[in-house]
Amino acid sequence: SNLRRGICQKTNSSSRIVSRPVFLQGGRQLSTYYDSQSGLHIPVHNEQEIRLFLNLSQQKEPFVPHQLYKQSDEAYEMSDKLKALAEKGIHGLILPAFQFPRDARNFNALSAILPSNFFLLYSGGVSAGELGKTENSSQVLGFGESIDEEELQESLQQSVQSGVHTTLAIKEDDYLADVEAITLASKIASLIDTVGGCDFIWLSSKSESSADTAVEVCEELTYLDVAGPTIKSRLLVDSLIDDVVEDAMFAGVNKFIVEDEREVEVIESAAKEQGKMLAK
């Protein structure tokens, strides 16, 4: 594919990018590396372990019980449910948009029982003050032609200043519009350099007509060099199209979005073909 050829042809000269485990003398594996641009110690990105996020945003039956924050029995059941998901390789949930005050209370209850390294992505009209501070949650913000850039930058800045992690969502309409992939990638790099945030970048490709462009956008994004974690470690690819999944995985992306267990099998099969595995 184009992305695989591009990666084989290009050599990345940036000394800060770590694409495979680093070992100290004696064989001990490093879990972090120092990023001189941000001045932070960054977790090493493991391309061999694929992590899945379950998208609940369109599900008709609620995954989270309405009274979770009130019922201890339901909290125990939910804790077991989350552990079972982690054992299948699912380490994150994309929640339906918040609509009611109880959604924030349920979110806080859910945050308190998450397995380690399990993430919650949320959106909707809720202030940061209503949610408990957690390292394992991220607010979804839209990005693209239909979004006012100044408003997005302001929202992102407010979230970063409040200590809230953020996810930038790029849908097909955003990159199929009359805009070059490299221009789109540059805008995202500029946003990260100016404001920060964008802990995850959610890239969707649901139709075959978007596949080639999605791969191109993915390619341009993975070549970006920004402060903090590498872009490929932030990417969440939302697609079941073979070329998109295979090329993104080959490029080192290790996070993919699924909507049911059948889709888990599709991603797991692609991982095995590349000698990788689901993180369980």
Side-chain angles (χ1 to χ4, degrees):
S1 74
N2 291 337
L3 181 50
R4 294 194 196 196
R5 285 197 299 272
I7 288 171
C8 293
Q9 289 165 358
K10 290 194 181 186
T11 57
N12 199 322
S13 61
S14 172
S15 60
R16 62 178 290 277
I17 293 191
V18 177
S19 59
R20 56 185 178 276
V22 176
F23 295 89
L24 297 174
Q25 191 171 6
R28 186 165 63 87
Q29 186 174 330
L30 285 175
S31 59
T32 63
Y33 66 96
Y34 180 71
D35 170 39
S36 58
Q37 291 191 69
S38 64
L40 299 173
H41 287 274
I42 306 294
V44 171
H45 175 61
N46 188 348
E47 299 178 7
Q48 298 303 117
E49 285 194 346
I50 307 302
R51 310 177 78 84
L52 304 178
F53 283 57
L54 182 63
N55 188 356
L56 304 170
S57 62
Q58 304 301 320
Q59 290 196 358
K60 293 177 182 176
E61 293 296 320
F63 179 86
V64 180
H66 293 321
Q67 303 295 316
L68 178 67
Y69 67 97
K70 284 184 177 179
Q71 306 289 339
S72 59
D73 288 349
E74 290 191 336
Y76 284 123
E77 285 179 21
M78 179 56 65
S79 177
D80 290 340
K81 209 170 177 179
L82 294 172
K83 288 173 186 173
L85 288 177
E87 288 170 1
K88 293 175 182 175
I90 295 170
H91 298 274
L93 299 177
I94 300 173
L95 301 173
F98 290 168
Q99 294 180 317
F100 308 103
R102 69 170 182 239
D103 293 334
R105 293 193 287 271
N106 280 331
F107 175 88
N108 291 334
L110 192 60
S111 298
I113 56 175
L114 290 179
S116 60
N117 296 317
F118 201 103
F119 291 87
L120 298 177
L121 273 59
Y122 66 93
S123 59
V126 61
S127 67
E130 295 177 70
L131 303 179
K133 288 291 176 66
T134 169
E135 287 295 308
N136 287 22
S137 64
S138 184
Q139 180 184 20
V140 178
L141 300 172
F143 177 86
E145 295 297 307
S146 60
I147 307 295
D148 183 274
E149 286 187 31
E150 285 187 12
E151 284 183 16
L152 171 60
Q153 188 165 320
E154 189 176 321
S155 297
L156 193 57
Q157 197 156 25
Q158 287 174 353
S159 296
V160 170
Q161 288 172 350
S162 302
V164 174
H165 292 290
T166 49
T167 295
L168 208 58
I170 308 170
K171 302 301 173 78
E172 291 178 47
D173 290 346
D174 301 327
Y175 60 78
L176 288 179
D178 192 19
V179 58
E180 294 283 333
I182 191 169
T183 304
L184 186 85
S186 295
K187 282 185 178 180
I188 292 171
S190 176
L191 196 61
I192 294 171
D193 287 339
T194 305
V195 185
C198 304
D199 303 276
F200 293 124
I201 298 173
W202 174 359
L203 178 65
S204 295
S205 175
K206 297 297 192 180
S207 63
E208 291 287 348
S209 61
S210 72
D212 287 346
T213 310
V215 168
E216 191 181 349
V217 170
C218 189
E219 176 183 8
E220 294 298 342
L221 286 170
T222 56
Y223 291 147
L224 292 177
D225 187 18
V226 296
T230 59
I231 291 293
K232 66 182 173 183
S233 73
R234 306 179 192 215
L235 272 167
L236 285 170
V237 171
D238 186 4
S239 181
L240 286 183
I241 300 167
D242 288 345
D243 282 350
V244 178
V245 173
E246 291 167 10
D247 287 3
M249 200 177 286
F250 185 81
V253 174
N254 73 346
K255 299 178 190 68
F256 294 84
I257 294 173
V258 296
E259 293 187 8
D260 55 42
E261 288 192 32
R262 180 189 65 82
E263 296 186 2
V264 172
E265 293 173 6
V266 172
I267 304 297
E268 185 168 29
S269 175
K272 285 178 178 176
E273 285 182 12
Q274 296 189 22
K276 301 179 181 183
M277 65 181 73
L278 296 188
K280 296 183 180 180

